[in-house]
Amino acid sequence: MNAYRSKSLSFPWPPLIYSGAVLIALYLQRYDPLPLPFIWSIIAWAIGAILTAFAVMLNVWAVKTLVERRTTVLTQRCSTHLVTSGPFRFTRNPTYLGYTLLTAGLGLMIGNLWFVAMAAVAAALTTLLVIRCEEMHLLSRFGCEFEFYCKHTRRWF
């Protein structure tokens, strides 16, 4: 039996990856701050607020869609359905996109540009450690249907 068929991950990596990114950003800001001029900090706060609001709405919409389709929200459980509606029409990973935008948005709001850099690092690690395994799981479970979905929907945005 295919090892990816039963579940995609054995450990919930995304919360750990993004929490680690936040902690590293806080550490870097303390020892090597990246200051923003005052006028730019106001603009950064506004952009950060918009990103944060969008990220929260995107995550709520994604979880709501998964629950409505009666499939798992947790990465370490087996998917019962291939969800291609809701935010999954636009991106294959709306929750991870939401985590990334939330990390960057919060960083802009508090004036810590390291958050933005670490959001990019967290997105890259999520792709390598999580998304590739999840995609193998979905490919083994849903085959051609998942391949078709991948051809028509971007991984991130």
Side-chain angles (χ1 to χ4, degrees):
M1 182 175 188
N2 187 333
Y4 290 105
R5 191 158 174 77
S6 61
K7 59 184 177 178
S8 60
L9 299 172
S10 58
F11 186 79
W13 288 106
L16 183 66
I17 292 170
Y18 284 92
S19 298
V22 166
L23 292 175
I24 291 169
L26 290 170
Y27 175 83
L28 288 170
Q29 183 69 11
R30 182 171 183 189
Y31 293 104
D32 190 16
L34 296 174
L36 273 173
F38 179 72
I39 190 67
W40 286 109
S41 64
I42 295 171
I43 295 168
W45 188 91
I47 293 169
I50 292 167
L51 284 177
T52 300
F54 180 74
V56 170
M57 288 188 310
L58 182 63
N59 277 342
V60 168
W61 188 20
V63 169
K64 181 179 179 285
T65 303
L66 291 172
V67 169
E68 285 174 350
R69 300 297 181 267
R70 292 189 171 90
T71 193
T72 185
V73 176
L74 303 174
T75 58
Q76 65 272 19
R77 295 217 176 132
C78 181
S79 295
T80 56
H81 303 291
L82 179 63
V83 178
T84 60
S85 60
F88 296 91
R89 288 178 293 175
F90 310 107
T91 173
R92 296 195 310 254
N93 301 289
T95 53
Y96 304 144
L97 178 59
Y99 295 161
T100 304
L101 294 176
L102 181 65
T103 303
L106 289 175
L108 290 172
M109 287 179 69
I110 65 172
N112 184 339
L113 295 180
W114 287 111
F115 272 64
V116 178
M118 293 311 299
V121 170
L125 285 173
T126 299
T127 299
L128 292 173
L129 298 174
V130 179
I131 292 173
R132 292 182 188 245
C133 292
E134 287 181 352
E135 287 179 348
M136 290 299 295
H137 166 71
L138 294 171
L139 182 62
S140 70
R141 300 252 329 144
F142 304 109
C144 293
E145 185 181 0
F146 180 68
E147 286 180 358
F148 181 80
Y149 174 62
C150 289
K151 286 180 181 177
H152 294 90
T153 308
R154 293 176 180 255
R155 179 179 279 159
W156 281 97
F157 54 86

